[in-house]
Amino acid sequence: MKGAVILISIVFSVIVSSCLFYLKHHDKSVEIDLHKEAFNHFNDVLSRGSIMNCIILPHDQPVYAQVKYAFAPVTLYLHRSGKHLDTVMYVCRQQATDSLITDNLKGKTIISDYKNQDFKYIMCTYE
Amino acid sequence: MNRLSAYIFATIISASAIAILYFLSLIFLVPYYITGILGVIFSFFLFKRIVSCSIKNTVSVFFTICTIVAITLLVNRTYYIANKYGWWDAWYIWDLHAKYMAYPDIWKQLFKNLDGTHPDYPPLLPSVLAFFKKLSPLNLQWVISYGIHLTIMMVIPLLIFFETYAKSVFLAVVTLFLFVTNDYFIQDSMAQYADTLLGLLLLCAVVTIRYSNLNRKYVLLSTLFISLCPLVKNEGLIIMLVFIVFHSWILFRRYNIKFTLLGIAVPVLFLLMFKLFYAPLNDMYEKQSAQTLNNIFDLSRYKLILSYFYKLLGEYFNPIKVGLIIYLLLLMVYKRWPHYQFIMLMCIMMAYLCIYLLTPYDLEWHLFTSLRRLMHQLVPATAFVLVCGISGEDTAKFQIKAFSKHLRL
């Protein structure tokens, strides 16, 4: 009986904790919308298939705005496989300097870029 | 074996089986629902088999209260410490791989994305994440990651507690509460990396092999756990090899060899398939050059690695450091040899440190980014072995003799 209580409390605590964690962070789940317009922009540029998914950068952490991690590739998942397999979208904060961007784009060719209020989006392919 | 521990072992094996099935379903284009049904049937069968090997022992009220209080404390601390998406490697490597794997039509693109995303990393964790994430809507998938990593973290102190309570109530309770109140342990575990899962698998292997004299099926269970390690992280191969060498006198006994091979077979075949047909070359291996030999003879590298190791041990792993000092003092007082599993863990740590000698990357950067995680992997098994050692459960002198005898040293 007590063993069952322990097992139930393990499962119960994971479920409750996940729910509480969701409630704590769900209002910050706007990243998809934040990036959506950029995706639409690039989708038009590429005009091949729809973008299925992306990495959502943890933009709510200030540390990412300052250090090199601010500049991270977001791999696009294109519906039609083929020519754009090596296409990578980089997202960085508006504060990222040009030199930081240039350093991180070595060996890549820019296809298109896009800016909104918070982010710069740069679409590249590998040279 | 404790029945509660058996449930934990069954859950881990079932989740691993589901991950392997899911990865195979991606290769052979099997629909998701069929994999799900197979996974449920397989899990049911595994639960029945594993739990039937355990003993239903009486659980005291104190034991129950300790467990529930510890769970509450851990969940509470995690709520404040955990990060929504984990840290860098989580959303750049492990979660990214899971995202690819969640889409059967494009998952192979994962191996073409070589921009620091390490597609050569083994697929067990991403595969588990992908399987369970597919059950939830897109905007809730990060909660699934959180739940899975929370479970992996929670199971570690509980398993140590369940397995050491009969040896020493005091040490078991102290260890449990040291774990659940340790912010560094929670931080590293909820970074959502694969290191905690690797640490858990090593702990399970170390625990189950101790029951091998009761039932040969524990040999199967232990080898299964240890051979799952290379499917979690590449360094899991080192863990597996060192574990097999140190337990060869048990694993390769005439009556055990069948169970050993059975336990190793599926994970090793799966690993070979992944490495030979899918994974690109490992970056560390690929970047080796003539400079490597010079690195081996560079004394300053040894100095830097050791100073970094001691610094981290004092800064983040203080309870382990104190446990080590107590254990070594007891060994000196009672004039005993350390338990062979303790020596095994030290050997794994040494092997890890040796890798840094050969790293083609900037040594300081490499130590800064990964040594803490490697030490985190060994914390669960080390804590368990130390508690057993300090509680006097391990008759170390005898064990070493037996070990040497079987190795014919």
Side-chain angles (χ1 to χ4, degrees), chain B residues 156 160 179 198-207 210 239 243 320 341-342 344-346 348 375-388:
Chain B
I156 289 172
I160 296 174
F179 263 105
L198 188 59
L200 173 61
L201 288 172
L202 175 62
L203 171 68
C204 293
V206 164
V207 170
R210 287 177 176 234
I239 294 182
F243 184 93
I320 291 288
Q341 283 188 332
F342 176 79
M344 174 194 78
L345 292 168
M346 294 304 109
I348 296 172
M375 290 167 80
H376 173 74
Q377 290 169 11
L378 300 185
V379 163
T382 310
F384 173 75
V385 170
L386 285 179
V387 172
C388 292

PDB file of all heavy atoms in Angstrom, chain B residues 156 160 179 198-207 210 239 243 320 341-342 344-346 348 375-388:
ATOM      1  N   ILE B 156      16.952   9.442  -9.793  1.00  0.00           N
ATOM      2  CA  ILE B 156      18.318   9.186  -9.300  1.00  0.00           C
ATOM      3  C   ILE B 156      18.394   9.155  -7.763  1.00  0.00           C
ATOM      4  O   ILE B 156      18.766   8.115  -7.193  1.00  0.00           O
ATOM      5  CB  ILE B 156      19.319  10.196  -9.913  1.00  0.00           C
ATOM      6  CG1 ILE B 156      19.508   9.880 -11.394  1.00  0.00           C
ATOM      7  CG2 ILE B 156      20.663  10.173  -9.182  1.00  0.00           C
ATOM      8  CD1 ILE B 156      20.309  10.900 -12.164  1.00  0.00           C
ATOM      9  N   ILE B 160      18.799   5.640  -5.305  1.00  0.00           N
ATOM     10  CA  ILE B 160      19.883   5.490  -4.318  1.00  0.00           C
ATOM     11  C   ILE B 160      19.270   5.267  -2.929  1.00  0.00           C
ATOM     12  O   ILE B 160      19.718   4.420  -2.160  1.00  0.00           O
ATOM     13  CB  ILE B 160      20.808   6.731  -4.338  1.00  0.00           C
ATOM     14  CG1 ILE B 160      21.509   6.851  -5.698  1.00  0.00           C
ATOM     15  CG2 ILE B 160      21.859   6.651  -3.218  1.00  0.00           C
ATOM     16  CD1 ILE B 160      22.323   8.109  -5.887  1.00  0.00           C
ATOM     17  N   PHE B 179      20.835  15.351  -2.135  1.00  0.00           N
ATOM     18  CA  PHE B 179      20.542  15.417  -3.576  1.00  0.00           C
ATOM     19  C   PHE B 179      19.420  16.415  -3.863  1.00  0.00           C
ATOM     20  O   PHE B 179      19.559  17.284  -4.713  1.00  0.00           O
ATOM     21  CB  PHE B 179      20.124  14.034  -4.103  1.00  0.00           C
ATOM     22  CG  PHE B 179      21.249  13.264  -4.734  1.00  0.00           C
ATOM     23  CD1 PHE B 179      21.848  12.203  -4.086  1.00  0.00           C
ATOM     24  CD2 PHE B 179      21.712  13.609  -5.998  1.00  0.00           C
ATOM     25  CE1 PHE B 179      22.887  11.488  -4.673  1.00  0.00           C
ATOM     26  CE2 PHE B 179      22.748  12.901  -6.596  1.00  0.00           C
ATOM     27  CZ  PHE B 179      23.333  11.844  -5.922  1.00  0.00           C
ATOM     28  N   LEU B 198      22.594   9.462 -18.820  1.00  0.00           N
ATOM     29  CA  LEU B 198      23.771   8.584 -18.840  1.00  0.00           C
ATOM     30  C   LEU B 198      24.162   8.201 -17.409  1.00  0.00           C
ATOM     31  O   LEU B 198      24.461   7.033 -17.126  1.00  0.00           O
ATOM     32  CB  LEU B 198      24.929   9.312 -19.548  1.00  0.00           C
ATOM     33  CG  LEU B 198      26.174   8.495 -19.845  1.00  0.00           C
ATOM     34  CD1 LEU B 198      25.850   7.310 -20.722  1.00  0.00           C
ATOM     35  CD2 LEU B 198      27.231   9.350 -20.527  1.00  0.00           C
ATOM     36  N   GLY B 199      24.149   9.191 -16.519  1.00  0.00           N
ATOM     37  CA  GLY B 199      24.461   8.936 -15.106  1.00  0.00           C
ATOM     38  C   GLY B 199      23.484   7.957 -14.494  1.00  0.00           C
ATOM     39  O   GLY B 199      23.871   7.060 -13.731  1.00  0.00           O
ATOM     40  N   LEU B 200      22.212   8.090 -14.854  1.00  0.00           N
ATOM     41  CA  LEU B 200      21.181   7.195 -14.321  1.00  0.00           C
ATOM     42  C   LEU B 200      21.404   5.757 -14.806  1.00  0.00           C
ATOM     43  O   LEU B 200      21.299   4.800 -14.034  1.00  0.00           O
ATOM     44  CB  LEU B 200      19.788   7.697 -14.747  1.00  0.00           C
ATOM     45  CG  LEU B 200      18.603   6.806 -14.416  1.00  0.00           C
ATOM     46  CD1 LEU B 200      18.467   6.598 -12.916  1.00  0.00           C
ATOM     47  CD2 LEU B 200      17.307   7.391 -14.969  1.00  0.00           C
ATOM     48  N   LEU B 201      21.738   5.607 -16.091  1.00  0.00           N
ATOM     49  CA  LEU B 201      21.958   4.256 -16.636  1.00  0.00           C
ATOM     50  C   LEU B 201      23.161   3.589 -15.968  1.00  0.00           C
ATOM     51  O   LEU B 201      23.116   2.395 -15.655  1.00  0.00           O
ATOM     52  CB  LEU B 201      22.163   4.329 -18.155  1.00  0.00           C
ATOM     53  CG  LEU B 201      20.913   4.646 -18.975  1.00  0.00           C
ATOM     54  CD1 LEU B 201      21.267   4.892 -20.430  1.00  0.00           C
ATOM     55  CD2 LEU B 201      19.890   3.530 -18.887  1.00  0.00           C
ATOM     56  N   LEU B 202      24.217   4.375 -15.731  1.00  0.00           N
ATOM     57  CA  LEU B 202      25.389   3.809 -15.057  1.00  0.00           C
ATOM     58  C   LEU B 202      25.009   3.383 -13.636  1.00  0.00           C
ATOM     59  O   LEU B 202      25.397   2.304 -13.178  1.00  0.00           O
ATOM     60  CB  LEU B 202      26.530   4.847 -15.036  1.00  0.00           C
ATOM     61  CG  LEU B 202      27.778   4.453 -14.255  1.00  0.00           C
ATOM     62  CD1 LEU B 202      28.439   3.212 -14.848  1.00  0.00           C
ATOM     63  CD2 LEU B 202      28.801   5.593 -14.220  1.00  0.00           C
ATOM     64  N   LEU B 203      24.242   4.231 -12.965  1.00  0.00           N
ATOM     65  CA  LEU B 203      23.795   3.893 -11.602  1.00  0.00           C
ATOM     66  C   LEU B 203      22.995   2.586 -11.610  1.00  0.00           C
ATOM     67  O   LEU B 203      23.229   1.702 -10.779  1.00  0.00           O
ATOM     68  CB  LEU B 203      22.945   5.047 -11.042  1.00  0.00           C
ATOM     69  CG  LEU B 203      22.216   4.779  -9.727  1.00  0.00           C
ATOM     70  CD1 LEU B 203      23.204   4.646  -8.572  1.00  0.00           C
ATOM     71  CD2 LEU B 203      21.225   5.892  -9.413  1.00  0.00           C
ATOM     72  N   CYS B 204      22.071   2.465 -12.562  1.00  0.00           N
ATOM     73  CA  CYS B 204      21.245   1.249 -12.647  1.00  0.00           C
ATOM     74  C   CYS B 204      22.121   0.016 -12.867  1.00  0.00           C
ATOM     75  O   CYS B 204      21.887  -1.040 -12.260  1.00  0.00           O
ATOM     76  CB  CYS B 204      20.244   1.366 -13.803  1.00  0.00           C
ATOM     77  SG  CYS B 204      19.009   2.604 -13.538  1.00  0.00           S
ATOM     78  N   ALA B 205      23.125   0.158 -13.738  1.00  0.00           N
ATOM     79  CA  ALA B 205      24.005  -0.984 -14.010  1.00  0.00           C
ATOM     80  C   ALA B 205      24.793  -1.365 -12.756  1.00  0.00           C
ATOM     81  O   ALA B 205      24.927  -2.550 -12.436  1.00  0.00           O
ATOM     82  CB  ALA B 205      24.956  -0.640 -15.155  1.00  0.00           C
ATOM     83  N   VAL B 206      25.285  -0.348 -12.042  1.00  0.00           N
ATOM     84  CA  VAL B 206      26.074  -0.596 -10.825  1.00  0.00           C
ATOM     85  C   VAL B 206      25.202  -1.261  -9.750  1.00  0.00           C
ATOM     86  O   VAL B 206      25.654  -2.173  -9.056  1.00  0.00           O
ATOM     87  CB  VAL B 206      26.679   0.756 -10.320  1.00  0.00           C
ATOM     88  CG1 VAL B 206      27.172   0.634  -8.895  1.00  0.00           C
ATOM     89  CG2 VAL B 206      27.807   1.206 -11.234  1.00  0.00           C
ATOM     90  N   VAL B 207      23.949  -0.832  -9.653  1.00  0.00           N
ATOM     91  CA  VAL B 207      23.047  -1.402  -8.641  1.00  0.00           C
ATOM     92  C   VAL B 207      22.674  -2.841  -9.002  1.00  0.00           C
ATOM     93  O   VAL B 207      22.789  -3.747  -8.179  1.00  0.00           O
ATOM     94  CB  VAL B 207      21.762  -0.530  -8.506  1.00  0.00           C
ATOM     95  CG1 VAL B 207      20.713  -1.232  -7.658  1.00  0.00           C
ATOM     96  CG2 VAL B 207      22.098   0.829  -7.905  1.00  0.00           C
ATOM     97  N   ARG B 210      25.018  -5.918  -8.588  1.00  0.00           N
ATOM     98  CA  ARG B 210      25.230  -6.387  -7.210  1.00  0.00           C
ATOM     99  C   ARG B 210      24.258  -7.512  -6.826  1.00  0.00           C
ATOM    100  O   ARG B 210      24.432  -8.164  -5.811  1.00  0.00           O
ATOM    101  CB  ARG B 210      25.096  -5.223  -6.236  1.00  0.00           C
ATOM    102  CG  ARG B 210      26.284  -4.269  -6.291  1.00  0.00           C
ATOM    103  CD  ARG B 210      26.126  -3.094  -5.387  1.00  0.00           C
ATOM    104  NE  ARG B 210      27.325  -2.268  -5.402  1.00  0.00           N
ATOM    105  CZ  ARG B 210      28.003  -1.920  -4.316  1.00  0.00           C
ATOM    106  NH1 ARG B 210      27.608  -2.324  -3.138  1.00  0.00           N
ATOM    107  NH2 ARG B 210      29.081  -1.162  -4.419  1.00  0.00           N
ATOM    108  N   ILE B 239      32.369   4.279 -20.674  1.00  0.00           N
ATOM    109  CA  ILE B 239      31.725   3.749 -19.465  1.00  0.00           C
ATOM    110  C   ILE B 239      31.464   2.258 -19.633  1.00  0.00           C
ATOM    111  O   ILE B 239      31.769   1.442 -18.773  1.00  0.00           O
ATOM    112  CB  ILE B 239      30.401   4.502 -19.187  1.00  0.00           C
ATOM    113  CG1 ILE B 239      30.692   5.964 -18.833  1.00  0.00           C
ATOM    114  CG2 ILE B 239      29.610   3.824 -18.086  1.00  0.00           C
ATOM    115  CD1 ILE B 239      29.471   6.785 -18.484  1.00  0.00           C
ATOM    116  N   PHE B 243      33.258  -0.674 -17.496  1.00  0.00           N
ATOM    117  CA  PHE B 243      32.339  -1.478 -16.666  1.00  0.00           C
ATOM    118  C   PHE B 243      32.517  -2.969 -16.980  1.00  0.00           C
ATOM    119  O   PHE B 243      32.599  -3.793 -16.074  1.00  0.00           O
ATOM    120  CB  PHE B 243      30.891  -1.047 -16.938  1.00  0.00           C
ATOM    121  CG  PHE B 243      29.873  -1.732 -16.074  1.00  0.00           C
ATOM    122  CD1 PHE B 243      29.465  -1.154 -14.883  1.00  0.00           C
ATOM    123  CD2 PHE B 243      29.308  -2.946 -16.445  1.00  0.00           C
ATOM    124  CE1 PHE B 243      28.517  -1.780 -14.076  1.00  0.00           C
ATOM    125  CE2 PHE B 243      28.374  -3.578 -15.653  1.00  0.00           C
ATOM    126  CZ  PHE B 243      27.969  -2.987 -14.459  1.00  0.00           C
ATOM    127  N   ILE B 320      30.053  15.227  -2.657  1.00  0.00           N
ATOM    128  CA  ILE B 320      30.820  14.074  -3.150  1.00  0.00           C
ATOM    129  C   ILE B 320      32.250  14.155  -2.610  1.00  0.00           C
ATOM    130  O   ILE B 320      32.828  13.145  -2.184  1.00  0.00           O
ATOM    131  CB  ILE B 320      30.831  14.045  -4.697  1.00  0.00           C
ATOM    132  CG1 ILE B 320      29.431  13.720  -5.237  1.00  0.00           C
ATOM    133  CG2 ILE B 320      31.860  13.061  -5.261  1.00  0.00           C
ATOM    134  CD1 ILE B 320      28.968  12.299  -5.048  1.00  0.00           C
ATOM    135  N   GLN B 341      34.128  -1.290  -7.536  1.00  0.00           N
ATOM    136  CA  GLN B 341      33.279  -0.366  -8.312  1.00  0.00           C
ATOM    137  C   GLN B 341      33.739   1.083  -8.111  1.00  0.00           C
ATOM    138  O   GLN B 341      33.580   1.914  -9.002  1.00  0.00           O
ATOM    139  CB  GLN B 341      31.815  -0.521  -7.901  1.00  0.00           C
ATOM    140  CG  GLN B 341      31.185  -1.768  -8.497  1.00  0.00           C
ATOM    141  CD  GLN B 341      29.690  -1.853  -8.258  1.00  0.00           C
ATOM    142  OE1 GLN B 341      29.182  -1.317  -7.279  1.00  0.00           O
ATOM    143  NE2 GLN B 341      28.992  -2.560  -9.128  1.00  0.00           N
ATOM    144  N   PHE B 342      34.300   1.359  -6.951  1.00  0.00           N
ATOM    145  CA  PHE B 342      34.851   2.692  -6.701  1.00  0.00           C
ATOM    146  C   PHE B 342      36.072   2.912  -7.616  1.00  0.00           C
ATOM    147  O   PHE B 342      36.205   3.961  -8.254  1.00  0.00           O
ATOM    148  CB  PHE B 342      35.246   2.815  -5.219  1.00  0.00           C
ATOM    149  CG  PHE B 342      35.907   4.122  -4.877  1.00  0.00           C
ATOM    150  CD1 PHE B 342      35.148   5.267  -4.692  1.00  0.00           C
ATOM    151  CD2 PHE B 342      37.288   4.212  -4.749  1.00  0.00           C
ATOM    152  CE1 PHE B 342      35.754   6.483  -4.381  1.00  0.00           C
ATOM    153  CE2 PHE B 342      37.900   5.419  -4.441  1.00  0.00           C
ATOM    154  CZ  PHE B 342      37.128   6.562  -4.261  1.00  0.00           C
ATOM    155  N   MET B 344      36.580   1.420 -10.376  1.00  0.00           N
ATOM    156  CA  MET B 344      36.037   1.520 -11.746  1.00  0.00           C
ATOM    157  C   MET B 344      35.615   2.961 -12.061  1.00  0.00           C
ATOM    158  O   MET B 344      35.942   3.498 -13.133  1.00  0.00           O
ATOM    159  CB  MET B 344      34.836   0.578 -11.872  1.00  0.00           C
ATOM    160  CG  MET B 344      34.107   0.689 -13.196  1.00  0.00           C
ATOM    161  SD  MET B 344      32.503  -0.116 -13.169  1.00  0.00           S
ATOM    162  CE  MET B 344      31.519   1.080 -12.308  1.00  0.00           C
ATOM    163  N   LEU B 345      34.918   3.585 -11.125  1.00  0.00           N
ATOM    164  CA  LEU B 345      34.454   4.957 -11.355  1.00  0.00           C
ATOM    165  C   LEU B 345      35.637   5.921 -11.477  1.00  0.00           C
ATOM    166  O   LEU B 345      35.616   6.846 -12.296  1.00  0.00           O
ATOM    167  CB  LEU B 345      33.515   5.402 -10.222  1.00  0.00           C
ATOM    168  CG  LEU B 345      32.183   4.668 -10.185  1.00  0.00           C
ATOM    169  CD1 LEU B 345      31.444   4.933  -8.882  1.00  0.00           C
ATOM    170  CD2 LEU B 345      31.312   5.083 -11.357  1.00  0.00           C
ATOM    171  N   MET B 346      36.677   5.676 -10.677  1.00  0.00           N
ATOM    172  CA  MET B 346      37.881   6.514 -10.781  1.00  0.00           C
ATOM    173  C   MET B 346      38.538   6.330 -12.159  1.00  0.00           C
ATOM    174  O   MET B 346      39.042   7.278 -12.756  1.00  0.00           O
ATOM    175  CB  MET B 346      38.894   6.168  -9.675  1.00  0.00           C
ATOM    176  CG  MET B 346      38.429   6.481  -8.269  1.00  0.00           C
ATOM    177  SD  MET B 346      37.932   8.192  -8.034  1.00  0.00           S
ATOM    178  CE  MET B 346      36.171   8.058  -7.868  1.00  0.00           C
ATOM    179  N   ILE B 348      37.009   5.557 -14.929  1.00  0.00           N
ATOM    180  CA  ILE B 348      36.191   6.261 -15.932  1.00  0.00           C
ATOM    181  C   ILE B 348      36.533   7.752 -15.900  1.00  0.00           C
ATOM    182  O   ILE B 348      36.718   8.386 -16.943  1.00  0.00           O
ATOM    183  CB  ILE B 348      34.681   6.036 -15.680  1.00  0.00           C
ATOM    184  CG1 ILE B 348      34.320   4.556 -15.858  1.00  0.00           C
ATOM    185  CG2 ILE B 348      33.839   6.885 -16.623  1.00  0.00           C
ATOM    186  CD1 ILE B 348      32.899   4.199 -15.454  1.00  0.00           C
ATOM    187  N   MET B 375      31.559  15.207 -14.996  1.00  0.00           N
ATOM    188  CA  MET B 375      31.587  14.861 -13.572  1.00  0.00           C
ATOM    189  C   MET B 375      30.159  14.595 -13.073  1.00  0.00           C
ATOM    190  O   MET B 375      29.941  13.701 -12.256  1.00  0.00           O
ATOM    191  CB  MET B 375      32.242  15.994 -12.769  1.00  0.00           C
ATOM    192  CG  MET B 375      33.735  16.097 -13.052  1.00  0.00           C
ATOM    193  SD  MET B 375      34.485  17.603 -12.435  1.00  0.00           S
ATOM    194  CE  MET B 375      34.690  17.210 -10.712  1.00  0.00           C
ATOM    195  N   HIS B 376      29.224  15.364 -13.600  1.00  0.00           N
ATOM    196  CA  HIS B 376      27.808  15.192 -13.232  1.00  0.00           C
ATOM    197  C   HIS B 376      27.325  13.769 -13.585  1.00  0.00           C
ATOM    198  O   HIS B 376      26.542  13.182 -12.849  1.00  0.00           O
ATOM    199  CB  HIS B 376      26.981  16.252 -13.967  1.00  0.00           C
ATOM    200  CG  HIS B 376      25.513  16.111 -13.820  1.00  0.00           C
ATOM    201  ND1 HIS B 376      24.838  16.422 -12.660  1.00  0.00           N
ATOM    202  CD2 HIS B 376      24.560  15.673 -14.687  1.00  0.00           C
ATOM    203  CE1 HIS B 376      23.551  16.192 -12.836  1.00  0.00           C
ATOM    204  NE2 HIS B 376      23.351  15.738 -14.043  1.00  0.00           N
ATOM    205  N   GLN B 377      27.839  13.229 -14.698  1.00  0.00           N
ATOM    206  CA  GLN B 377      27.442  11.876 -15.118  1.00  0.00           C
ATOM    207  C   GLN B 377      27.811  10.819 -14.067  1.00  0.00           C
ATOM    208  O   GLN B 377      27.117   9.829 -13.904  1.00  0.00           O
ATOM    209  CB  GLN B 377      28.161  11.485 -16.405  1.00  0.00           C
ATOM    210  CG  GLN B 377      27.727  12.230 -17.633  1.00  0.00           C
ATOM    211  CD  GLN B 377      28.672  11.966 -18.807  1.00  0.00           C
ATOM    212  OE1 GLN B 377      29.523  11.090 -18.762  1.00  0.00           O
ATOM    213  NE2 GLN B 377      28.516  12.749 -19.851  1.00  0.00           N
ATOM    214  N   LEU B 378      28.942  11.049 -13.393  1.00  0.00           N
ATOM    215  CA  LEU B 378      29.431  10.029 -12.463  1.00  0.00           C
ATOM    216  C   LEU B 378      28.913  10.212 -11.036  1.00  0.00           C
ATOM    217  O   LEU B 378      29.126   9.360 -10.180  1.00  0.00           O
ATOM    218  CB  LEU B 378      30.964  10.020 -12.456  1.00  0.00           C
ATOM    219  CG  LEU B 378      31.645   9.732 -13.796  1.00  0.00           C
ATOM    220  CD1 LEU B 378      33.142   9.623 -13.628  1.00  0.00           C
ATOM    221  CD2 LEU B 378      31.125   8.436 -14.409  1.00  0.00           C
ATOM    222  N   VAL B 379      28.250  11.333 -10.789  1.00  0.00           N
ATOM    223  CA  VAL B 379      27.785  11.624  -9.429  1.00  0.00           C
ATOM    224  C   VAL B 379      26.836  10.544  -8.873  1.00  0.00           C
ATOM    225  O   VAL B 379      27.066  10.045  -7.767  1.00  0.00           O
ATOM    226  CB  VAL B 379      27.138  13.032  -9.357  1.00  0.00           C
ATOM    227  CG1 VAL B 379      26.293  13.206  -8.109  1.00  0.00           C
ATOM    228  CG2 VAL B 379      28.226  14.094  -9.385  1.00  0.00           C
ATOM    229  N   PRO B 380      25.785  10.131  -9.611  1.00  0.00           N
ATOM    230  CA  PRO B 380      24.866   9.148  -9.020  1.00  0.00           C
ATOM    231  C   PRO B 380      25.542   7.842  -8.611  1.00  0.00           C
ATOM    232  O   PRO B 380      25.377   7.398  -7.469  1.00  0.00           O
ATOM    233  CB  PRO B 380      23.848   8.895 -10.141  1.00  0.00           C
ATOM    234  CG  PRO B 380      23.909  10.097 -11.008  1.00  0.00           C
ATOM    235  CD  PRO B 380      25.319  10.569 -10.953  1.00  0.00           C
ATOM    236  N   ALA B 381      26.330   7.260  -9.518  1.00  0.00           N
ATOM    237  CA  ALA B 381      26.972   5.980  -9.206  1.00  0.00           C
ATOM    238  C   ALA B 381      27.990   6.158  -8.077  1.00  0.00           C
ATOM    239  O   ALA B 381      28.106   5.299  -7.192  1.00  0.00           O
ATOM    240  CB  ALA B 381      27.642   5.410 -10.450  1.00  0.00           C
ATOM    241  N   THR B 382      28.722   7.286  -8.099  1.00  0.00           N
ATOM    242  CA  THR B 382      29.720   7.517  -7.047  1.00  0.00           C
ATOM    243  C   THR B 382      29.029   7.651  -5.691  1.00  0.00           C
ATOM    244  O   THR B 382      29.487   7.076  -4.697  1.00  0.00           O
ATOM    245  CB  THR B 382      30.535   8.802  -7.354  1.00  0.00           C
ATOM    246  OG1 THR B 382      30.997   8.726  -8.691  1.00  0.00           O
ATOM    247  CG2 THR B 382      31.716   8.951  -6.420  1.00  0.00           C
ATOM    248  N   ALA B 383      27.922   8.398  -5.657  1.00  0.00           N
ATOM    249  CA  ALA B 383      27.195   8.568  -4.390  1.00  0.00           C
ATOM    250  C   ALA B 383      26.737   7.207  -3.856  1.00  0.00           C
ATOM    251  O   ALA B 383      26.893   6.918  -2.670  1.00  0.00           O
ATOM    252  CB  ALA B 383      25.999   9.492  -4.598  1.00  0.00           C
ATOM    253  N   PHE B 384      26.224   6.377  -4.750  1.00  0.00           N
ATOM    254  CA  PHE B 384      25.738   5.052  -4.332  1.00  0.00           C
ATOM    255  C   PHE B 384      26.882   4.195  -3.772  1.00  0.00           C
ATOM    256  O   PHE B 384      26.771   3.606  -2.692  1.00  0.00           O
ATOM    257  CB  PHE B 384      25.068   4.349  -5.521  1.00  0.00           C
ATOM    258  CG  PHE B 384      24.682   2.926  -5.248  1.00  0.00           C
ATOM    259  CD1 PHE B 384      23.569   2.645  -4.462  1.00  0.00           C
ATOM    260  CD2 PHE B 384      25.428   1.873  -5.753  1.00  0.00           C
ATOM    261  CE1 PHE B 384      23.213   1.330  -4.191  1.00  0.00           C
ATOM    262  CE2 PHE B 384      25.084   0.560  -5.489  1.00  0.00           C
ATOM    263  CZ  PHE B 384      23.970   0.287  -4.705  1.00  0.00           C
ATOM    264  N   VAL B 385      27.995   4.169  -4.508  1.00  0.00           N
ATOM    265  CA  VAL B 385      29.138   3.344  -4.080  1.00  0.00           C
ATOM    266  C   VAL B 385      29.705   3.875  -2.758  1.00  0.00           C
ATOM    267  O   VAL B 385      30.067   3.094  -1.868  1.00  0.00           O
ATOM    268  CB  VAL B 385      30.216   3.310  -5.194  1.00  0.00           C
ATOM    269  CG1 VAL B 385      31.493   2.676  -4.711  1.00  0.00           C
ATOM    270  CG2 VAL B 385      29.684   2.557  -6.407  1.00  0.00           C
ATOM    271  N   LEU B 386      29.742   5.193  -2.609  1.00  0.00           N
ATOM    272  CA  LEU B 386      30.267   5.773  -1.368  1.00  0.00           C
ATOM    273  C   LEU B 386      29.365   5.437  -0.180  1.00  0.00           C
ATOM    274  O   LEU B 386      29.866   5.081   0.890  1.00  0.00           O
ATOM    275  CB  LEU B 386      30.394   7.298  -1.505  1.00  0.00           C
ATOM    276  CG  LEU B 386      31.563   7.812  -2.359  1.00  0.00           C
ATOM    277  CD1 LEU B 386      31.554   9.327  -2.418  1.00  0.00           C
ATOM    278  CD2 LEU B 386      32.906   7.321  -1.831  1.00  0.00           C
ATOM    279  N   VAL B 387      28.040   5.534  -0.383  1.00  0.00           N
ATOM    280  CA  VAL B 387      27.119   5.217   0.716  1.00  0.00           C
ATOM    281  C   VAL B 387      27.283   3.744   1.122  1.00  0.00           C
ATOM    282  O   VAL B 387      27.374   3.425   2.308  1.00  0.00           O
ATOM    283  CB  VAL B 387      25.644   5.513   0.327  1.00  0.00           C
ATOM    284  CG1 VAL B 387      24.684   5.007   1.386  1.00  0.00           C
ATOM    285  CG2 VAL B 387      25.434   7.008   0.132  1.00  0.00           C
ATOM    286  N   CYS B 388      27.374   2.867   0.126  1.00  0.00           N
ATOM    287  CA  CYS B 388      27.569   1.441   0.427  1.00  0.00           C
ATOM    288  C   CYS B 388      28.890   1.227   1.161  1.00  0.00           C
ATOM    289  O   CYS B 388      28.972   0.453   2.110  1.00  0.00           O
ATOM    290  CB  CYS B 388      27.555   0.608  -0.853  1.00  0.00           C
ATOM    291  SG  CYS B 388      25.964   0.560  -1.632  1.00  0.00           S
TER     292      CYS B 388
END
